[in-house]
Amino acid sequence: MIKYDENPANLSETRQYEDLSMAIVYKIREGSKAGRLYQKDEIYLELMGEDIQEGDDERRKAFEEALKRAIEEHSDIKEVPGAGGALFYYSEEYMGEPYVRLLLQKQGDPLLLIAETVRDNSASYPRPIPLNMFKNPPFDFSEEEIIECLRQMETKDLFRDIARTVTSAGTVFLYSTSHLTPDYASMLAEWFDVGQFENP
Amino acid sequence: MDTQKDGYETTEKGLGSLLEARFMSRRDFLKLSGISVIALTALNPFIARGGAGPLIIMEQAKGLVISEPTRCVGCRRCELACTEYNDGKAKPSIARIKVGRNMNFGPKGLYASQNGQGNWGNGLIIQDLCKQCPHPVPCADACPNDAIVVSPPTNARVVDKEKCIGCKMCQKACPWEMMVFDSDNNKATKCFLCKGSPKCVEACPAGALSYVNWVDLTREVPPRIAQVVVTSPEKGSSCNTCHKKR
Amino acid sequence: MKKYGGWAGKVLRVNLSDRKISIEDTIEKYRDFLGGTGIGYKVFWDEVLPGTKPFDPENKIVFAVGPLAGTGAPCNGRTAITTLWPTCWPKALIGTGHMGGNFAAELKYAGYDAIIIEGKANKPVWISIVDEKVTINDAGHIWGQGIRRTTIELSRILGSEASVAAIGQAGENLVPMSVVMNSYSHSAGGVGAVMGSKNLKAIAVRGTGGISIAGNREEWERLIKYHLSLLGANNQHVVPNSPQPWAEFYDPASRWLASKGRAWGASSPVIETGPCDPRDLNRIAYRTNNAAFYLGEIAWKYTVRGSGCTGCPIRCHTMIKIPSAAAKYGIPEIGMNTCGGLNFGRSFFRNFPDGMRGLTNVEACMVGMHMADDYGIWCNYGQLQRDFQKLYYEGIIKNKLGEKEFKSYSWDKYEKGDPSFLFELLPRIAFKEGELGTALGLGTGAHLERWGLSESEWKKDPKLNYWKMGHPKHHSNEEVGQCGVIINTQYNRDAQCHSHTNFVRNGLPLEVQKRLAEEIWGTPDAVDGVGAYTPMNVGKARMAKWSLLRKELHDSLSLCNWMGPWVASPLKNRNYRGDDTIESMLYTLATGDRKSREELDLIAERIFLLHRAITIRDMNTKEMRKEHDTIPDWVFYDPQKRPVYTKGTIHLDPKDMELAMDMFYQEMGWDRTTGAPTYETYRKVGLEEVAKELKKRGLLP
């Protein structure tokens, strides 16, 4: 995987970027690999060491131009608007559209994020998903947050299709009644939580 | 279904995009600073000097394979890559990276028993690697036929198969037991850094190996065996050129 | 003769009765059967007469590997061991066990593709193989010792790089539920007592030679990297178990556990697995953590690293470090295993004081694996523990044991889930002490018979997973519908086939699986969603045939069928396609014998048919459909009495399964009434002599 196109003796710890535009590309790609969407301000702060509001006009202008070039010249670099209209940047080489969607949903309404994720899973795989899944990245909810979300969801019509089933091991799974019957969801949950380990 | 040929093409496709991205990324924005490439093609380490015998100082190696043992999972794919891709056979006994011998019980072998390392001890598997020694290079100095030479561009110390007579003197000289002997052709062999793209590093599924700028590890890594200093008389005399007897 | 790569070229034959050691030419005698189970079946067809019993000196044990063992082909670490299976009931028939570890590679480097053990030594011996030098040695000093001590003692003689395949006290004491084990944690069930019956304690191998790769080395390197690029995690699960930046899909049931935030917590310092982009071949080893998969989140902090077979990047054995288990139970603090071996101890218990995903659960695993892997006790794919739970909780153990023996066990500890209970139970199995220990060690079939229990009761209980002939199911209708059931009818022990399950559990959405299925088996209908089964169709019959042939192909080439086949991949830009020509490409380049996928599949069919022929010959009946390929009642039973094909049920319709068997036999070219292969079918795969012999015996349809 690692391609040594140069003699390592020639590689140095000190890395210089050809120009600001390449530095931006590099930063966005590294962010995507690690599951991070970058906002313009964040890139500016990390590369220029100052807040975009406080930076002087000339530096800001150079940055804007470099960012524009980064997008034009590197087809993997994408710009996407978030819930509040702010722009986010990622490399589609390292971050797929489904993950980007999750990250954007997360910045919006957490209830919708959970509901949409549950619906997606119930519709396409199909399967219920364990509550604990929402503790993983990119969701990163705490137990309390998940419980609070579910409590709120119960009160809203929009989430009437989100149902839960509990396995014999006591694990809670969520599913959407628009896509799975209670019987089927409970059988699948039992299979994922208990059955598959009895059939290793 | 894909035919064999299509299979290879799809390899390129399958791996292609990321390989390319990485490859490009280095060239694109990792500007190399400071060091320039030195042309070494004409360099001969055995330049006669003043008739006092050959100068045995070798040009320093440029690169080195190092390891991080906590990452090693003991699969030995490095040993297999070393011999299959270089020699066309799976033969860990001639691999120029050594993992198998430390895998079960650690470098101290059974003498440390279950208090040792390896699968039967604390789990840690040590990789033995060629240090690409600085002067004096024990294996090269031991060779009566000057068969261990510097090979550009990496300046690895390599065995010249044409010159090797299979006497195994080099094996005795390496404190880390990194000289191996291939019984199939009666020649010694050692790590030659794969022209700067070490196969072992590429093959490690756990990223435990890295190819880095050469550093002197000869004082860092404990020897496996007591070093037997073997130097032929001709070379011994050339030591005096620099190391004058008082 | 043409010189081939891949194979070591020699088969070692060791007769323990007359201590004769001889060498055969692999190519000359066995090339048409590749290696592994192929060599095993060939030896049994040619040399072991029907009516032979497992512990007779006339029974043989064939340790065999294939042309890819010991090479850089990924996942080549398994040794196939063929013998008359001692837990096959009511009559022992041919079976194979498979162990990973370093034994397969070491055997090849020593210069051998197989070892045929025959006869019986007059006193305990071990076999030493150091390249060309093979000796039979007195085992007096290690007889009675556990596998761990035996390995240490023999490694002192052969050196620390040797691979030692040894039996423990269970095998010595002719406990049918016993294993042979190598490389600390890699075992093959059922074989231990057969070795014990021959007074063979161990085979220790040290090899310093090489295996030549016939093809161009650049091409070989490219092929290996191509194959690596198609790998998923353990069991070829090709999507991660939680959303990852690079991934389009995820599946909470996947064994691809790596993620940001998950780390080998007992490594010093800690190592984060990271997201493990499938295109990064230098991170394959971080994808799988089977301790965390089976034991839950808690296992991450105890994980030292991955471990596994020579040459395999997947590392399905996970090394864990549990200081509390060492302190409480006096066992080593580090241990490693996968699957059945990892779960051995905990599976006896129904509950633990801190729940099923707590520390006690992990400690029970540590106690179980350290004891079972030293005594050499086999679990029969978990049947031992399932039987034990049923027998205890239904009061059968209490009924069958004398009061004194029953009271000699701390049942209160057992019910509470105290792992120290294992110290009372496991030694008694290994040493055949008392009624319970002796009975459990027999295996389900003989155990039920001994206690006057009815096998048909076992066949009714859906929680028991029991299938037939003393053995459980191994990936059946709980996930692969009719195809899984067909596969489970075919062997004389649990089926050990993963070709089908690794596909349906690969984590891709059903729609993608169906698209791939259409390409492989000609119709998207070959696969159903789990628990959303549809009536039988020809695609399912094709998938069953294909799965069985791939299993035998892998077991003969020495590719891991627990990891293959590689017909789905994690690569989005390939539309998640794998490549089912990977085996033929590896075979062709390694050996220099050019074979297409179709040609190699034909050899696989030859090997599979030879297994069928031996089974027919030794059962002395052609009525396989009625007497061998049976299906337990629970497959057709739904506790909630829902109609078949209702989503959420896994039970099947008996009539539909009859049709399924019809279609499978037809795909195989076997007689539908009897389920026996026809003369023509044998002839087509190059087994005309076998057909003639069966004809003579009246065993052709």
Side-chain angles (χ1 to χ4, degrees):
Chain A
M1 183 76 214
I2 300 163
K3 185 113 185 161
Y4 291 95
D5 48 310
E6 306 283 354
N7 187 319
N10 298 330
L11 289 178
S12 160
E13 281 304 303
T14 324
R15 291 165 171 176
Q16 293 178 351
Y17 303 107
E18 219 162 57
D19 61 27
L20 186 55
S21 163
M22 282 316 302
I24 292 170
V25 170
Y26 182 74
K27 184 148 282 298
I28 293 171
R29 283 181 185 158
E30 288 306 303
S32 295
K33 277 185 210 169
R36 176 173 177 186
L37 274 179
Y38 265 111
Q39 247 179 308
K40 192 189 287 178
D41 298 14
E42 293 168 328
I43 305 172
Y44 188 80
L45 182 67
E46 287 183 26
L47 285 178
M48 314 302 250
E50 58 189 290
D51 206 288
I52 203 159
Q53 260 65 26
E54 293 155 16
D56 67 57
D57 284 353
E58 203 158 305
R59 279 166 71 88
R60 261 198 338 246
K61 207 173 137 213
F63 175 78
E64 295 285 354
E65 269 169 23
L67 180 61
K68 202 171 147 221
R69 246 180 342 109
I71 298 166
E72 280 167 8
E73 289 170 13
H74 301 272
S75 60
D76 64 315
I77 304 296
K78 300 288 173 197
E79 187 181 66
V80 61
L87 293 173
F88 292 89
Y89 300 88
Y90 69 98
S91 159
E92 68 174 2
E93 183 66 36
Y94 300 103
M95 195 190 283
E97 189 271 328
Y99 203 83
V100 174
R101 198 165 17 133
L102 288 178
L103 288 176
L104 292 176
Q105 280 174 346
K106 192 180 160 191
Q107 292 175 348
D109 181 0
L111 301 189
L112 202 60
L113 169 65
I114 292 181
E116 284 299 314
T117 305
V118 170
R119 285 170 189 150
D120 262 9
N121 275 275
S122 293
S124 63
Y125 289 90
R127 62 172 173 233
I129 52 169
L131 218 53
N132 281 347
M133 239 250 330
F134 293 104
K135 291 181 187 168
N136 294 323
F139 309 105
D140 291 319
F141 289 117
S142 68
E143 180 100 30
E144 294 71 35
E145 286 169 332
I146 299 172
I147 290 168
E148 177 55 24
C149 285
L150 291 181
R151 205 189 51 76
Q152 288 186 32
M153 281 162 91
E154 279 171 14
T155 65
K156 296 190 179 171
D157 246 16
L158 186 62
F159 304 119
R160 238 189 352 215
D161 64 315
I162 306 300
R164 60 181 94 180
T165 177
V166 183
T167 67
S168 64
T171 312
V172 180
F173 279 69
L174 299 178
Y175 67 98
S176 161
T177 52
S178 315
H179 305 286
L180 292 176
T181 61
D183 223 27
Y184 191 27
S186 106
M187 174 263 161
L188 286 173
E190 189 68 16
W191 165 247
F192 292 130
D193 198 42
V194 180
Q196 65 159 337
F197 302 106
E198 288 171 354
N199 296 276
Chain B
M1 278 301 126
D2 294 330
T3 65
Q4 192 151 318
K5 187 162 161 287
D6 289 344
Y8 294 141
E9 281 168 15
T10 35
T11 315
E12 310 297 322
K13 279 180 212 149
L15 296 173
S17 55
L18 194 73
L19 275 179
E20 198 153 301
R22 287 209 154 191
F23 186 78
M24 290 303 288
S25 65
R26 267 177 201 280
R27 282 211 302 226
D28 270 2
F29 48 83
L30 301 188
K31 258 283 190 157
L32 307 166
S33 68
I35 308 159
S36 62
V37 185
I38 306 162
L40 294 157
T41 40
L43 199 78
N44 180 351
F46 304 108
I47 307 159
R49 193 210 262 186
L55 179 68
I56 60 173
I57 296 176
M58 282 182 167
E59 190 75 10
Q60 215 79 299
K62 302 231 162 220
L64 183 72
V65 178
I66 61 163
S67 68
E68 174 42 50
T70 51
R71 289 186 176 276
C72 178
V73 292
C75 69
R76 304 174 73 182
R77 291 197 65 80
C78 50
E79 295 180 342
L80 292 164
C82 176
T83 65
E84 283 190 345
Y85 305 157
N86 286 311
D87 307 88
K89 56 192 175 191
K91 191 174 184 182
S93 64
I94 63 156
R96 295 90 173 169
I97 172 171
K98 295 290 174 195
V99 172
R101 69 188 182 193
N102 300 330
M103 187 177 65
N104 288 329
F105 301 101
K108 288 184 181 151
L110 283 144
Y111 297 97
S113 196
Q114 292 194 35
N115 298 317
Q117 298 175 330
N119 284 339
W120 288 70
N122 67 0
L124 192 72
I125 300 177
I126 304 291
Q127 299 70 50
D128 292 337
L129 292 147
C130 175
K131 316 287 174 290
Q132 306 295 344
C133 290
H135 174 77
V137 182
C139 57
D141 289 355
C143 181
N145 218 30
D146 290 341
I148 298 180
V149 298
V150 164
S151 170
T154 61
N155 284 2
R157 289 80 176 92
V158 309
V159 177
D160 182 340
K161 275 196 186 129
E162 302 300 312
K163 287 188 186 165
C164 175
I165 53 170
C167 71
K168 301 190 186 177
M169 294 299 280
C170 53
Q171 276 195 305
K172 293 190 179 63
C174 177
W176 297 280
E177 293 188 292
M178 290 312 299
M179 292 301 308
V180 288
F181 186 78
D182 190 352
S183 51
D184 294 344
N185 59 7
N186 285 321
K187 303 281 183 192
T189 179
K190 69 174 293 300
C191 176
F192 53 91
L193 296 176
C194 301
K195 297 196 172 83
S197 302
K199 303 290 186 192
C200 54
V201 176
E202 282 183 19
C204 181
L209 301 172
S210 319
Y211 185 47
V212 298
N213 286 328
W214 183 82
V215 284
D216 188 356
L217 291 181
T218 57
R219 284 158 210 273
E220 308 284 329
V221 182
R224 280 178 65 93
I225 52 167
Q227 186 176 10
V228 181
V229 181
V230 195
T231 314
S232 64
E234 304 79 55
K235 287 184 193 168
S237 70
S238 71
C239 294
N240 295 335
T241 315
C242 300
H243 304 277
K244 297 269 189 235
K245 280 181 185 160
R246 284 167 195 254
Chain C
M1 200 191 301
K2 189 184 167 193
K3 199 161 158 32
Y4 291 96
W7 287 286
K10 289 180 292 184
V11 168
L12 182 65
R13 190 182 284 267
V14 179
N15 188 312
L16 295 172
S17 297
D18 61 14
R19 301 175 76 91
K20 194 175 154 223
I21 296 166
S22 53
I23 301 286
E24 289 162 13
D25 188 309
T26 313
I27 306 298
E28 203 176 282
K29 208 165 166 188
Y30 302 106
R31 192 188 62 147
D32 293 345
F33 295 86
L34 301 177
T37 53
I39 295 183
Y41 300 154
K42 174 85 171 111
V43 168
F44 272 76
W45 174 263
D46 288 348
E47 305 176 17
V48 180
L49 295 175
T52 308
K53 295 192 174 63
F55 299 159
D56 290 348
E58 291 77 20
N59 185 18
K60 304 192 180 191
I61 312 174
V62 183
F63 289 78
V65 300
L68 298 177
T71 71
C75 318
N76 70 66
R78 290 181 83 81
T79 305
I81 308 169
T82 309
T83 195
L84 289 172
W85 215 250
T87 52
C88 177
W89 177 88
K91 183 178 191 213
L93 296 166
I94 190 165
T96 64
H98 305 260
M99 63 179 183
N102 312 315
F103 189 85
E106 205 63 27
L107 185 66
K108 288 285 288 287
Y109 303 148
Y112 308 97
D113 299 298
I115 312 168
I116 302 166
I117 306 288
E118 43 192 34
K120 176 184 177 174
N122 58 6
K123 57 174 188 179
V125 296
W126 65 281
I127 297 171
S128 166
I129 301 172
V130 181
D131 295 326
E132 297 84 29
K133 197 167 159 20
V134 181
T135 54
I136 301 170
N137 310 286
D138 180 58
H141 67 303
I142 42 174
W143 196 258
Q145 302 292 327
I147 290 167
R148 299 268 167 87
R149 169 123 313 266
T150 302
T151 306
I152 296 273
E153 300 263 355
L154 298 187
S155 294
R156 281 197 179 275
I157 300 170
L158 265 70
S160 56
E161 290 182 68
S163 183
V164 179
I167 60 168
Q169 293 92 340
E172 290 177 9
N173 294 324
L174 307 187
V175 174
M177 292 280 283
S178 58
V179 301
V180 59
M181 173 153 317
N182 82 92
S183 305
Y184 200 88
S185 55
H186 297 267
S187 62
V191 186
V194 184
M195 281 177 73
S197 75
K198 298 187 174 309
N199 271 324
L200 176 60
K201 178 69 178 173
I203 303 174
V205 189
R206 173 75 183 115
T208 62
I211 306 158
S212 91
I213 303 298
N216 171 290
R217 67 185 71 151
E218 284 83 27
E219 241 179 291
W220 178 251
E221 182 176 353
R222 258 191 320 171
L223 176 60
I224 298 295
K225 285 180 178 163
Y226 173 50
H227 191 179
L228 288 170
S229 79
L230 303 178
L231 294 191
N234 184 221
N235 283 39
Q236 191 59 5
H237 290 183
V238 298
V239 309
N241 115 322
S242 63
Q244 299 300 321
W246 55 266
E248 187 178 12
F249 307 118
Y250 58 93
D251 175 8
S254 167
R255 299 189 188 198
W256 187 319
L257 262 55
S259 170
K260 184 174 125 189
R262 290 184 178 149
W264 296 351
S267 171
S268 180
V270 166
I271 297 173
E272 194 184 33
T273 63
C276 286
D277 190 315
R279 295 167 296 183
D280 189 345
L281 303 184
N282 295 115
R283 299 202 65 82
I284 300 177
Y286 296 104
R287 295 175 187 173
T288 301
N289 180 337
N290 274 351
F293 176 74
Y294 286 110
L295 310 179
E297 283 293 317
I298 188 174
W300 282 104
K301 68 177 174 207
Y302 300 115
T303 299
V304 180
R305 62 170 167 87
S307 189
C309 303
T310 305
C312 185
I314 294 298
R315 316 325 277 163
C316 69
H317 282 226
T318 307
M319 181 180 276
I320 49 176
K321 182 177 175 178
I322 319 286
S324 64
K328 279 185 222 167
Y329 308 106
I331 55 174
E333 64 176 5
I334 285 183
M336 58 180 157
N337 217 310
T338 188
C339 200
L342 181 73
N343 291 312
F344 189 97
R346 75 182 186 118
S347 305
F348 284 97
F349 299 95
R350 207 167 256 190
N351 42 265
F352 292 108
D354 50 352
M356 297 313 279
R357 289 276 189 275
L359 182 58
T360 314
N361 181 43
V362 178
E363 289 175 354
C365 288
M366 284 294 278
V367 172
M369 76 172 121
H370 276 302
M371 295 185 84
D373 292 358
D374 198 31
Y375 288 127
I377 304 169
W378 186 37
C379 70
N380 190 14
Y381 193 52
Q383 197 59 38
L384 172 67
Q385 293 92 335
R386 285 188 295 273
D387 288 353
F388 182 82
Q389 282 198 24
K390 182 180 172 81
L391 293 167
Y392 177 76
Y393 284 103
E394 292 186 3
I396 300 169
I397 287 180
K398 193 171 186 182
N399 283 339
K400 297 291 172 188
L401 263 52
E403 197 187 338
K404 192 174 163 212
E405 185 180 342
F406 186 77
K407 282 190 171 160
S408 70
Y409 284 93
S410 313
W411 295 108
D412 54 330
K413 278 190 183 174
Y414 171 63
E415 288 191 14
K416 274 191 301 203
D418 180 343
S420 68
F421 175 77
L422 297 172
F423 288 93
E424 298 180 17
L425 180 66
L426 300 184
R428 292 195 234 190
I429 297 177
F431 291 96
K432 285 186 173 167
E433 281 171 9
E435 178 57 28
L436 181 60
T438 306
L440 287 171
L442 292 172
T444 305
H447 182 174
L448 295 180
E449 189 177 343
R450 182 184 174 105
W451 283 9
L453 300 166
S454 146
E455 192 210 16
S456 56
E457 285 303 308
W458 252 241
K459 286 182 172 174
K460 281 181 191 150
D461 187 342
K463 295 298 266 182
L464 266 180
N465 287 10
Y466 181 78
W467 198 269
K468 60 166 182 165
M469 297 165 83
H471 295 275
K473 68 165 173 176
H474 205 138
H475 305 303
S476 161
N477 58 316
E478 77 284 359
E479 50 188 330
V480 209
Q482 295 94 338
C483 170
V485 172
I486 294 167
I487 287 167
N488 274 273
T489 62
Q490 291 299 296
Y491 289 93
N492 305 319
R493 54 167 294 188
D494 58 307
Q496 303 180 90
C497 180
H498 297 79
S499 317
H500 57 318
T501 177
N502 288 0
F503 183 84
V504 301
R505 280 203 208 178
N506 65 22
L508 293 166
L510 186 57
E511 190 191 325
V512 180
Q513 289 189 345
K514 281 185 169 290
R515 181 170 51 72
L516 296 176
E518 183 168 15
E519 292 176 7
I520 308 164
W521 303 297
T523 161
D525 300 335
V527 291
D528 292 325
V530 171
Y533 299 132
T534 58
M536 184 62 190
N537 63 60
V538 70
K540 295 177 185 184
R542 278 189 215 132
M543 183 177 174
K545 175 180 180 178
W546 180 92
S547 299
L548 288 160
L549 299 195
R550 281 295 146 131
K551 175 203 180 294
E552 291 299 341
L553 182 63
H554 293 162
D555 290 345
S556 301
L557 289 174
S558 285
L559 285 174
C560 179
N561 186 258
W562 278 250
M563 257 311 295
W566 296 272
V567 288
S569 80
L571 301 176
K572 186 184 176 195
N573 56 354
R574 286 179 60 89
N575 271 325
Y576 303 100
R577 269 189 206 94
D579 190 336
D580 83 340
T581 63
I582 205 85
E583 292 91 342
S584 57
M585 289 192 280
L586 288 167
Y587 173 84
T588 297
L589 276 187
T591 62
D593 178 28
R594 183 167 285 276
K595 290 258 186 296
S596 67
R597 173 174 61 90
E598 292 77 8
E599 287 169 313
L600 215 52
D601 280 350
L602 189 80
I603 301 182
E605 189 168 354
R606 178 184 305 148
I607 294 167
F608 181 58
L609 248 69
L610 192 54
H611 175 275
R612 188 80 168 171
I614 298 167
T615 303
I616 290 172
R617 183 193 66 179
D618 291 5
M619 284 179 73
N620 197 28
T621 177
K622 61 186 173 193
E623 299 297 333
M624 295 298 277
R625 184 168 191 151
K626 273 204 227 65
E627 294 182 28
H628 182 276
D629 300 350
T630 58
I631 301 166
D633 304 340
W634 62 260
V635 169
F636 306 116
Y637 167 76
D638 179 49
Q640 296 172 48
K641 308 261 187 296
R642 290 164 292 189
V644 279
Y645 314 131
T646 307
K647 277 188 180 178
T649 67
I650 59 161
H651 73 300
L652 297 169
D653 172 35
K655 271 208 191 103
D656 181 69
M657 262 327 296
E658 289 298 329
L659 173 68
M661 294 308 289
D662 280 349
M663 290 172 100
F664 170 67
Y665 294 142
Q666 190 163 351
E667 274 301 308
M668 295 300 302
W670 299 355
D671 174 54
R672 275 198 285 180
T673 317
T674 58
T678 62
Y679 189 97
E680 180 56 18
T681 302
Y682 285 119
R683 195 194 59 75
K684 262 193 205 156
V685 299
L687 292 177
E688 192 161 13
E689 292 309 308
V690 169
K692 282 180 187 162
E693 173 65 25
L694 289 173
K695 191 174 184 192
K696 238 190 279 172
R697 292 171 181 264
L699 296 172
L700 285 182

